[in-house]
Amino acid sequence: MKEIQTTVLIVGGGPVGLLGAQLLARRGIEVLVAEKYPQRLDSPKAHALNPRSLEICAAAGLPMDEIHAQATRKADGAHVWMMETLSAPPIGRIAYERQDDAVRAVTPWPLINIAQPQFEEVLEGAVRGQPVSPCVTG
Ligand SMILES: Cc1cc2nc3c(=O)[nH]c(=O)nc-3n(C[C@H](O)[C@H](O)[C@H](O)COP(=O)(O)OP(=O)(O)OC[C@H]3O[C@@H](n4cnc5c(N)ncnc54)[C@H](O)[C@@H]3O)c2cc1C
């Protein structure tokens, strides 16, 4: 077994672990992220990043253009559809939080829809690009 020295060990390379690594690495603190799975799981998880989460991402120096490039088109994530089966015609729909441009009066970052695995990819790329070269295992 190889012995590895690090200042901070983060167990789990999900959004919280990766964002934590990003924040530490930006402050020059050496950090190691240990992730259980060698490949990112693509099972259903988060899809919505709300304004506050996006504000934190921007403050953490994440590439906001890349995050937005991975998000669905606004029209594809604007409603919650009610259906009995995926192939049946929809019974109805309700608007899914506000995503209109008027929201920009209160936040620079209105809600977006981005699959969690894709968000994690962007996060991991940012973490790996930090000058202290935090290591992400897996
Ligand atoms: C169906 C679904 C829909 C959701 N929708 C939304 C949404 O729209 N918006 C939203 O904000 N949130 C949503 N959530 C919640 C969101 O997914 C979680 O809040 C988020 O994933 C928590 O991040 P995390 O990094 O704490 O944990 P996780 O994402 O669970 O990451 C933990 C990581 O740790 C790893 N791990 C576990 N055990 C070990 C170990 N022993 N050693 C090493 N690694 C380990 C795991 O493999 C995983 O990669 C949703 C969740 C689900 C399930």
Side-chain angles (χ1 to χ4, degrees):
M1 199 187 286
K2 198 169 128 202
E3 195 170 294
I4 302 171
Q5 294 283 333
T6 184
T7 308
V8 177
L9 171 68
I10 293 178
V11 179
V16 173
L18 289 171
L19 186 63
Q22 166 77 359
L23 292 169
L24 288 164
R26 267 166 62 88
R27 279 152 189 77
I29 298 167
E30 190 190 22
V31 52
L32 176 77
V33 179
E35 168 54 45
K36 185 175 181 178
Y37 295 104
Q39 278 187 314
R40 183 156 288 116
L41 302 178
D42 59 3
S43 48
K45 296 194 228 170
H47 60 92
L49 272 185
N50 67 28
R52 187 63 196 127
S53 297
L54 287 165
E55 286 164 10
I56 292 168
C57 289
L62 293 177
M64 300 306 283
D65 288 354
E66 252 181 78
I67 291 174
H68 279 80
Q70 295 293 329
T72 62
R73 293 185 314 135
K74 228 191 262 185
D76 291 340
H79 294 93
V80 175
W81 292 87
M82 287 162 273
M83 309 167 88
E84 284 179 319
T85 69
L86 287 176
S87 56
I91 300 164
R93 65 176 197 178
I94 49 173
Y96 184 68
E97 301 198 17
R98 283 188 58 192
Q99 298 174 48
D100 54 288
D101 287 339
V103 178
R104 289 186 190 278
V106 288
T107 176
W109 307 110
L111 177 141
I112 56 168
N113 279 282
I114 173 171
Q116 184 168 330
Q118 277 153 295
F119 175 59
E120 289 173 2
E121 284 284 328
V122 178
L123 256 176
E124 185 177 326
V127 170
R128 286 189 188 277
Q130 289 296 330
V132 291
S133 301
C135 169
V136 182
T137 62

